[in-house]
Amino acid sequence: MGVAPGEPQADVLPLSVRQLELSGSDDPRVIDDQRHDDYANHVVPITMRLGKWQLAMSFWSLLSAMVWLFYGALASSLFGSVNAIIAMVLAVVTYSVGTAVFSPVLNEDRSFPLELTRRPREVAVVGGGVAGMRSAALLHDRGHRVTLFEPEGLGGVLRFTRHWESKVDLRALVDHLEHEVVRRGIPVVTQRAGVDELESFETVVLATGAQDREAGPEVAPGVTTTTPASVRPEDVGSSVVVVGGGFQGCECALRIARELPGASVTLVEQGDALQQGDEVFTDLMALPRLLVEAGVDVRTGTRATVVTATGVELAAGSTLTADTVVLALGRRRADNPLRPVLEDRGQQVVVVGSADRPGRVFDAIHTAFFAGRQL
């Protein structure tokens, strides 16, 4: 699909995805994980991240509930229990009717229906991460003829979740999205999509993800470093230094410290505090405490200058000994060179997920859904 007649067919990925396990009881591993989970690592969409005023309104709601209890008891003592209950029921009904009439955000599932397209087209989805897989499945459901290009295996940057037990929730999400692609029979082409490979498609969805930032300490020749999305448990030595105290760095240091208690983990951040970017407030509150509880040596106001074969040299002149160095320098939006070329020859190009704006997993799925509804 999507290949002109007479041209050689590209290899199609022979996927073998484990069927989702259905059970009437909870997984004991998940239950045990939840006992120690503060939800700091869970996906929180941008639209649900509370600001100071929104948080104040939440406390105001609790205060209002307490006030209603007081007035309920007062009305009961003044007018009798039956009359008080009747008044409270009428108040709830009146409030509910008023909210249903005047609130535009109720029943959002009805506001965003998924309808079949009136004009099916050939669509290429470039990138097999969460945004790419969600886009491919949704566009297929809308009636388009979809081909997914992914040379390195479905899952994108979240493929690392299959190697860490603490990422069971994200791993389940990746498995689910991959299963949805497979069960729909969407062709997955195991080659990098270039200008020539995309020529026969009317619409191209770019879900190529974000790029790791490169500004960081100098890495000496011959020295190997890793990233939060690349590090594997079997690759971690006895002493680990994580450079970068944003969300990625904090999460990676915490993950290693919890799952590999024999490893000594040091987190280095050149700023005066951890997580100085666009982090969720729950992460800001919880992650520093969790790092301390996990035994991570957190060093703020400390700049790493050079990564050598023996460790990490600091601007202050000292050296942190390490046999594993993780560079968690954050991610940035990557300008895909395919876009201007495809648009110049008249193809429709849509950018989704972290390729459009680096964010959380929910953000990638969110943009994929709403972009797919417009095609």
Side-chain angles (χ1 to χ4, degrees):
M1 184 178 298
V3 180
E7 294 185 2
Q9 294 284 338
D11 293 336
V12 177
L13 180 64
L15 292 174
S16 177
V17 180
R18 178 173 57 85
Q19 294 290 327
L20 295 179
E21 297 179 3
L22 300 179
S23 173
S25 59
D26 291 320
D27 189 330
R29 295 174 301 175
V30 176
I31 295 176
D32 182 68
D33 181 65
Q34 294 304 309
R35 290 196 184 101
H36 306 89
D37 198 347
D38 65 346
Y39 293 89
N41 293 328
H42 284 244
V43 178
V44 179
I46 289 179
T47 53
M48 294 179 63
R49 300 174 190 178
L50 298 182
K52 294 180 179 179
W53 287 110
Q54 292 171 306
L55 190 60
M57 291 302 297
S58 298
F59 285 108
W60 175 256
S61 299
L62 293 175
L63 180 61
S64 299
M66 297 174 65
V67 170
W68 274 106
L69 289 175
F70 170 77
Y71 279 118
L74 179 63
S76 177
S77 63
L78 294 177
F79 304 105
S81 300
V82 175
N83 290 331
I85 292 174
I86 293 175
M88 293 177 68
V89 170
L90 290 175
V92 170
V93 171
T94 302
Y95 178 81
S96 300
V97 172
T99 302
V101 172
F102 296 106
S103 176
V105 297
L106 290 178
N107 300 321
E108 286 193 349
D109 55 333
R110 298 181 183 177
S111 302
F112 307 111
L114 191 62
E115 300 176 348
L116 285 175
T117 181
R118 295 182 179 180
R119 191 172 70 84
R121 64 186 78 172
E122 296 282 347
V123 180
V125 178
V126 182
V130 292
M133 291 190 290
R134 183 69 185 102
S135 294
L138 184 143
L139 291 169
H140 175 276
D141 292 346
R142 294 204 60 216
H144 296 295
R145 297 177 292 276
V146 182
T147 300
L148 177 60
F149 288 83
E150 174 51 63
E152 299 179 1
L154 296 179
V157 71
L158 292 184
R159 287 195 299 270
F160 83 93
T161 59
R162 296 186 172 118
H163 301 273
W164 297 91
E165 287 299 323
S166 59
K167 293 299 174 182
V168 61
D169 52 348
L170 286 179
R171 183 166 65 249
L173 172 63
V174 174
D175 289 343
H176 168 70
L177 293 174
E178 186 172 347
H179 174 73
E180 292 301 297
V181 170
V182 174
R183 77 179 184 89
R184 287 169 170 80
I186 298 173
V188 179
V189 180
T190 59
Q191 70 180 59
R192 194 168 300 278
V195 175
D196 295 336
E197 288 77 16
L198 299 175
E199 184 176 6
S200 61
F201 295 94
E202 181 178 351
T203 300
V204 177
V205 177
L206 296 179
T208 49
Q211 289 184 345
D212 291 322
R213 296 183 185 275
E214 299 176 355
E218 177 187 350
V219 180
V223 176
T224 301
T225 61
T226 186
T227 65
S230 301
V231 63
R232 304 286 185 266
E234 59 270 19
D235 301 330
V236 175
S238 59
S239 57
V240 182
V241 173
V242 179
V243 180
F247 173 79
Q248 279 190 325
C250 292
E251 183 279 325
C252 181
L254 182 62
R255 185 201 327 158
I256 293 174
R258 281 180 167 179
E259 296 201 29
L260 304 172
S264 172
V265 183
T266 302
L267 177 61
V268 176
E269 165 57 41
Q270 66 178 358
D272 296 330
L274 299 176
Q275 303 184 93
Q276 295 182 317
D278 185 22
E279 276 78 16
V280 183
F281 79 96
T282 52
D283 297 333
L284 293 173
M285 293 188 297
L287 275 177
R289 172 180 57 82
L290 292 174
L291 289 168
V292 173
E293 292 177 355
V296 176
D297 180 10
V298 178
R299 303 193 184 189
T300 56
T302 304
R303 185 167 65 90
T305 56
V306 183
V307 180
T308 67
T310 58
V312 178
E313 296 181 2
L314 305 178
S318 59
T319 300
L320 295 175
T321 302
D323 45 27
T324 304
V325 177
V326 183
L327 298 182
L329 308 176
R331 313 196 80 199
R332 64 177 179 83
R333 180 179 178 271
D335 293 326
N336 196 309
L338 287 173
R339 183 173 187 174
V341 178
L342 299 177
E343 289 180 333
D344 285 346
R345 68 184 184 189
Q347 292 174 278
Q348 181 184 23
V349 179
V350 179
V351 183
V352 299
S354 295
D356 178 48
R357 180 187 180 207
R360 300 297 179 90
V361 176
F362 180 90
D363 303 325
I365 296 176
H366 180 86
T367 60
F369 176 81
F370 281 96
R373 290 183 66 254
Q374 305 302 317
L375 296 178

